[in-house]
C-alpha cells in the first residue's frame, strides 16, 4: 500500500515555474512570463530541488537543460499543469471583459498585418496586454508559451486551428534604379544566375529559401547568383534599396518604394501565388476571451 503523501504548498507552487523553465530552457524567458525576476525563479527551483533531494536542472550550459530526473518529472506533471491552465482559462472565460497578457508569435513579414491597426485593438480592449514576438525561426507555439501564432499557410503546424488572414500572396523580384543602371534587367527567371541576388535563410532550420516561379502552369526553381545571404526580410529590402542586388520580397512590403521610384520590379509574368498568412492556435474547447477577440479583430481587418 502506497503511503499517504501530501504535497507541500511550496512544492506545488514551484511546479509551474519548473515546467516553464523546462520548456523554454531559460530562467529569463520563464520569469518574463511569470512576471517575476530571473533570480526569483532560480531560487524557487533551487529550493524545490533541495526539498526533493534531487537535481532537476542542468545549469552548466548556456541553455538550461534537464537532468534525467527532471525529464521524468516534466513528463509526468506536464499533462496535469496543462489541464490546470485550461481549467483556469475556462473560469476566466466567464469574465465579461477580455483581460491578461496575450502572447503572439509571428514572422517579421507579418508585422504589417497587426501594426497599422494595433492602436485600435488596445483602445478597444484596455485590459488586454499584447506581446508580439517577432520570430522568423518557426518556433513551436505551445512549447514557447504563446497563445497563438501567425504563419504562411505552407508553414503551419499540424493539429492546430488555422484561420486565413490574407488572400494568396506573391513574391516580387525587385532592384533599385542604380542597380539596373549597372546591370540589364533579367528577361527570364533563368537570367538570375547572372545577377547579384540577396538570398534569405531561415533562422531556425538554416534552410535557404528557393526562388520559385511559374511558366505555362509549371512551377520551377532557379539557381540565382547568391552573393549576399540574410535572415531578415527587412535587411533584404534595405539591401535592394541600396543597390546591392535583386531581392525577392512580398509584394505588399514594396508598394510604397515602387511608387516612389526607389524599387523596380522585374519578371512579373512569372510570379507564383502561394497561400497567405494564417493565425493558428491549439484546438481547445474554451478559447480565452483575450484570444477570441484578437482573432475576430484580426480577421475583421483582413
Amino acid at each position: 500500500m502506497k503511503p499517504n503523501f501530501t504535497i507541500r504548498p511550496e512544492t506545488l507552487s514551484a511546479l509551474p515555474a519548473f515546467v516553464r523553465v523546462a520548456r523554454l530552457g531559460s530562467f529569463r524567458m520563464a520569469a518574463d512570463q511569470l512576471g517575476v525576476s530571473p533570480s526569483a525563479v532560480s531560487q524557487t527551483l533551487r529550493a524545490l530541488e533541495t526539498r526533493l533531494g534531487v537535481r532537476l536542472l542542468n545549469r552548466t550550459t548556456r541553455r538550461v537543460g534537464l537532468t534525467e530526473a527532471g525529464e521524468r518529472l516534466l513528463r509526468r506533471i506536464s499533462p496535469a499543469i496543462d489541464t490546470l491552465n485550461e481549467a483556469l482559462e475556462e473560469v476566466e472565460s466567464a469574465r465579461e471583459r477580455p483581460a491578461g497578457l496575450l502572447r503572439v508569435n509571428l514572422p517579421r513579414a507579418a508585422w504589417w498585418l497587426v501594426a497599422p491597426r494595433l492602436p485600435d485593438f488596445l483602445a478597444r480592449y484596455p485590459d488586454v496586454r499584447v506581446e508580439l514576438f517577432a520570430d522568423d525561426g518557426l518556433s513551436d507555439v505551445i512549447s514557447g508559451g504563446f497563445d497563438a501564432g501567425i504563419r504562411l499557410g505552407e508553414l503551419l503546424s499540424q493539429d492546430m486551428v488555422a484561420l486565413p488572414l490574407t488572400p494568396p500572396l506573391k513574391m516580387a523580384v525587385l532592384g533599385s534604379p542604380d542597380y539596373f543602371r549597372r546591370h540589364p534587367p533579367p528577361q527570364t527567371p533563368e537570367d538570375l544566375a547572372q545577377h547579384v541576388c540577396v538570398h534569405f535563410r531561415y533562422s531556425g532550420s538554416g534552410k535557404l529559401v528557393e526562388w520559385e516561379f511559374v511558366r505555362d502552369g509549371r512551377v520551377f526553381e532557379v539557381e540565382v547568383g547568391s552573393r549576399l545571404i540574410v535572415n531578415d526580410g527587412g535587411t533584404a529590402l534595405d539591401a535592394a534599396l541600396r543597390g546591392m542586388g535583386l531581392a525577392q520580397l512580398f509584394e505588399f512590403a514594396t508598394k510604397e518604394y515602387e511608387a516612389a521610384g526607389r524599387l523596380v520590379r522585374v519578371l512579373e509574368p512569372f510570379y507564383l501565388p502561394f497561400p497567405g498568412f494564417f493565425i493558428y492556435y491549439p484546438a481547445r474547447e474554451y478559447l480565452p476571451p483575450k484570444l477570441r477577440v484578437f482573432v475576430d479583430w484580426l480577421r475583421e481587418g483582413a
Side-chain angles (χ1 to χ4, degrees):
M1 184 176 180
K2 293 182 178 180
N4 183 13
F5 179 71
T6 301
I7 301 177
R8 297 170 60 179
E10 56 269 31
T11 299
L12 187 61
S13 64
L15 294 180
F18 166 72
V19 170
R20 287 186 185 268
V21 171
R23 288 178 174 176
L24 297 172
S26 165
F27 288 115
R28 180 184 58 77
M29 294 175 66
D32 287 344
Q33 292 187 16
L34 293 169
V36 297
S37 67
S39 61
V41 174
S42 179
Q43 291 172 10
T44 295
L45 296 187
R46 285 193 183 278
L48 175 63
E49 290 174 323
T50 300
R51 286 193 297 272
L52 296 178
V54 63
R55 287 188 61 191
L56 302 173
L57 301 173
N58 181 359
R59 299 173 173 84
T60 60
T61 60
R62 183 176 180 181
R63 177 180 172 86
V64 179
L66 292 176
T67 64
E68 183 178 350
E71 290 178 353
R72 287 201 304 269
L73 180 61
L74 178 66
R75 186 167 59 249
R76 295 298 299 271
I77 70 173
S78 283
I81 295 294
D82 291 338
T83 298
L84 286 172
N85 285 332
E86 290 180 4
L88 292 173
E89 289 177 354
E90 179 182 337
V91 172
E92 289 179 355
S93 69
R95 296 180 55 174
E96 185 176 347
R97 300 183 68 181
L101 176 63
L102 177 71
R103 304 187 71 238
V104 181
N105 183 291
L106 74 168
R108 290 173 175 83
W111 170 244
W112 71 278
L113 283 173
V114 182
R117 298 175 51 241
L118 189 57
D120 170 68
F121 179 83
L122 296 176
R124 194 183 302 185
Y125 303 104
D127 293 332
V128 178
R129 294 164 30 237
V130 179
E131 178 181 344
L132 299 176
F133 189 86
D135 173 24
D136 290 324
L138 305 180
S139 299
D140 182 77
V141 168
I142 296 178
S143 64
F146 296 98
D147 295 287
I150 296 176
R151 289 282 183 270
L152 290 172
E154 58 191 23
L155 301 174
L156 289 174
S157 302
Q158 300 298 316
D159 303 321
M160 291 278 185
V161 176
L163 302 172
L165 296 177
T166 70
L169 302 173
K170 293 181 180 180
M171 299 291 283
V173 179
L174 306 105
S176 70
D178 177 65
Y179 178 86
F180 288 123
R181 280 191 288 270
R182 293 179 281 115
H183 305 273
Q187 300 303 309
T188 70
E190 289 80 3
D191 292 341
L192 293 172
Q194 308 304 319
H195 280 266
V196 179
C197 296
V198 183
H199 222 148
F200 184 91
R201 189 190 298 276
Y202 285 117
S203 302
S205 66
K207 180 182 177 182
L208 284 171
V209 177
E210 302 293 343
W211 287 39
E212 293 185 320
F213 300 92
V214 62
R215 178 192 286 128
D216 299 327
R218 182 179 67 87
V219 178
F220 62 99
E221 299 174 355
V222 298
E223 293 287 338
V224 301
S226 180
R227 296 284 307 281
L228 177 62
I229 300 173
V230 301
N231 69 339
D232 175 75
T235 304
L237 172 60
D238 185 65
L241 288 168
R242 294 177 183 273
M244 296 182 187
L246 301 181
Q248 194 175 45
L249 302 163
F250 287 106
E251 285 186 312
F252 61 75
T254 64
K255 289 182 178 179
E256 63 178 283
Y257 302 103
E258 292 180 73
R262 299 183 62 192
L263 287 177
V264 178
R265 69 171 59 193
V266 293
L267 303 175
E268 189 164 7
F270 302 98
Y271 294 169
L272 174 67
F274 56 91
F277 284 105
F278 288 68
I279 185 166
Y280 71 104
Y281 48 87
R284 60 183 72 178
E285 185 176 355
Y286 296 96
L287 200 63
K290 61 185 180 182
L291 178 56
R292 185 184 66 249
V293 296
F294 183 76
V295 171
D296 291 344
W297 170 80
L298 258 187
R299 300 195 74 208
E300 169 190 309

